[in-house]
Amino acid sequence: MTPHNLPRFDHNPLRYTALGNSGLFVSELCLGTMTFGGDEDIWGLIGQLQQEQADELVKIALEAGINFIDTANIYGFGASERIVGQSLKNLGVRREDVVLATKVLGPMGEGPNARGASRGHIMSECKASLARLQTDYIDLYQIHGFDPATPIEETLEALNTLVQQGHVRYVGLSNWAAWQVMKAIGITWARNLCPVTSLQAYYTLVGRDLEREVIPMLASEKVGLMVWSPLAGGYLSGKYEDPDVSEENRRTKFDFPPVNRERGKEVIKVMREVADGKQIDGEPVTVAQIALAWLLHQEPVSSVIVGAKRPDQLKANIRAAQIRLSDDERKALDEVSRIPEEYPGWMMAMMAGYRNPSES
């Protein structure tokens, strides 16, 4: 693979879309790197891939047309970022050919100021991330979660400083509530700060809570949505609901994100029906690929983050982009996974008819 001619799978072109209300185009699939660099810690439970193994996955992703890579300073306590940066060097990738995203918030030291979204922590950790990634700028710098101890104004001012300095090009949030994102947007308007470009959040067929408040807000404010854990921590592979799986093997090591298994069983049943008989490149379509395909059919989604421990897993995830669900299949999946109605949602839907000309 040469820097000026990254190979692409011509039979599997990925779609590209602008991230939020920006001119930054990203692939509909994003390579997640939480499996890179784990040790005998929580990150080791997710993945312990080292440089050579990571290089192979990064190469597969780039060759498939993925131009978007997501990591975080806390993944492997910096190891993931170091491996990602070295992979791009090892593969001879031009910096402008890849969109690098990383995150800040989690504890990177023992002291009380070595964590959070304070100005001090953001500024020092951005510098450390740049060094580990071996780059002079980060395309998308994200706050990994909400910090109740730091004023949102302080966080946004720090991000704006990094953009003005040229170390960061776009800023995003992750795991924030709708009101928190909206408050941040209001502050950026009032203070003329760099805008919030994206939100990284959990969204799956067994976790559609985002549709209550967050997704309508993102659509209204033109903020892009990046989806993490699209297989619900492996649950939507279907293997945990196999009749032969013992209760001890059902996500016992890392039961995350939480899943309502009673509802989940019914969702997976319909997913299996949708997958039945479908093929991609002569291979049977899997339940996991249906989960990814459903997300890729959702209009609010800008990019779906896919990670893997093995090349075959990553290739299977990438093939999901070729699946086109029929209207009936989408309807069946939507109905079985639909979240229960809550107030004020049901009241708003009912009263919206007052102003809908088609209903008058």
Side-chain angles (χ1 to χ4, degrees), residues 153-168:
E153 292 85 350
E154 179 179 337
T155 298
L156 296 173
E157 291 277 4
L159 292 173
N160 192 68
T161 298
L162 290 172
V163 172
Q164 290 178 331
Q165 291 175 343
H167 299 316
V168 168

Side-chain angles (χ1 to χ4, degrees), residues 152-198:
I152 297 178
E153 292 85 350
E154 179 179 337
T155 298
L156 296 173
E157 291 277 4
L159 292 173
N160 192 68
T161 298
L162 290 172
V163 172
Q164 290 178 331
Q165 291 175 343
H167 299 316
V168 168
R169 295 193 169 174
Y170 298 91
V171 303
L173 307 172
S174 180
N175 304 314
W176 283 38
W179 71 266
Q180 293 165 341
V181 177
M182 196 63 239
K183 183 173 180 179
I185 291 172
I187 292 169
T188 63
W189 288 343
R191 300 194 176 197
N192 197 29
L193 305 176
C194 58
V196 174
T197 300
S198 63

Side-chain angles (χ1 to χ4, degrees), residues 28-332:
E28 61 183 333
L29 294 179
C30 171
L31 179 64
T33 62
M34 194 185 289
T35 57
F36 292 7
D39 202 346
E40 300 302 319
D41 49 30
I42 185 174
W43 306 110
L45 295 176
I46 299 166
Q48 300 184 28
L49 302 186
Q50 298 308 308
Q51 194 66 57
E52 186 176 349
Q53 299 162 303
D55 286 357
E56 185 175 6
L57 293 184
V58 173
K59 184 174 185 290
I60 289 169
L62 293 174
E63 288 180 339
I66 290 175
N67 75 337
F68 199 12
I69 299 176
D70 180 73
T71 184
N73 64 344
I74 200 172
Y75 296 166
F77 299 103
S80 176
E81 287 183 329
R82 280 193 294 271
I83 291 172
V84 168
Q86 191 59 47
S87 281
L88 298 179
K89 296 292 182 182
N90 292 347
L91 296 171
V93 180
R94 293 191 309 177
R95 179 64 185 86
E96 58 267 32
D97 286 333
V98 66
V99 177
L100 276 181
T102 191
K103 301 182 283 292
V104 60
L105 183 84
M108 295 298 289
E110 296 298 326
N113 292 313
R115 63 198 67 204
S118 68
R119 182 178 183 85
H121 188 59
I122 288 172
M123 302 300 285
S124 61
E125 282 305 312
C126 182
K127 182 178 179 180
S129 290
L130 288 167
R132 287 190 288 260
L133 289 166
Q134 300 183 57
T135 183
D136 56 4
Y137 69 93
I138 295 165
D139 293 285
L140 179 66
Y141 200 44
Q142 305 156 98
I143 304 301
H144 210 159
F146 186 73
D147 178 3
T150 301
I152 297 178
E153 292 85 350
E154 179 179 337
T155 298
L156 296 173
E157 291 277 4
L159 292 173
N160 192 68
T161 298
L162 290 172
V163 172
Q164 290 178 331
Q165 291 175 343
H167 299 316
V168 168
R169 295 193 169 174
Y170 298 91
V171 303
L173 307 172
S174 180
N175 304 314
W176 283 38
W179 71 266
Q180 293 165 341
V181 177
M182 196 63 239
K183 183 173 180 179
I185 291 172
I187 292 169
T188 63
W189 288 343
R191 300 194 176 197
N192 197 29
L193 305 176
C194 58
V196 174
T197 300
S198 63
L199 176 73
Q200 189 174 141
Y202 170 65
Y203 184 39
T204 69
L205 274 165
V206 288
R208 295 175 60 182
D209 310 78
L210 218 62
E211 295 173 2
R212 298 194 192 281
E213 298 282 351
V214 174
I215 283 179
M217 177 274 299
L218 297 179
S220 169
E221 305 308 315
K222 297 181 174 59
V223 174
L225 174 60
M226 297 168 62
V227 176
W228 61 260
S229 197
L231 301 183
Y235 179 82
L236 287 176
S237 68
K239 62 184 178 181
Y240 298 105
E241 293 302 343
D242 191 292
D244 297 327
V245 175
S246 66
E247 201 58 43
E248 299 83 60
N249 291 328
R250 295 176 188 268
R251 303 168 95 208
T252 53
K253 287 186 178 180
F254 195 61
D255 192 11
F256 181 84
V259 172
N260 182 327
R261 291 209 173 111
E262 288 305 309
R263 297 186 71 234
K265 288 178 184 178
E266 296 304 311
V267 173
I268 289 174
K269 179 181 176 182
V270 174
M271 292 171 72
R272 287 194 172 117
E273 293 171 356
V274 171
D276 187 39
K278 291 184 183 295
Q279 288 192 340
I280 307 174
D281 299 334
E283 296 287 332
V285 167
T286 66
V287 170
Q289 289 170 328
I290 294 298
L292 294 171
W294 179 83
L295 281 169
L296 293 172
H297 280 72
Q298 303 308 303
E299 188 175 345
V301 174
S302 299
S303 191
V304 175
I305 302 171
V306 292
K309 295 180 182 179
R310 305 190 311 270
D312 62 299
Q313 289 177 327
L314 181 57
K315 289 176 181 178
N317 288 341
I318 292 171
R319 283 196 295 271
Q322 297 183 60
I323 299 173
R324 294 294 177 262
L325 300 174
S326 69
D327 290 344
D328 287 343
E329 289 169 337
R330 292 176 62 181
K331 182 179 179 181

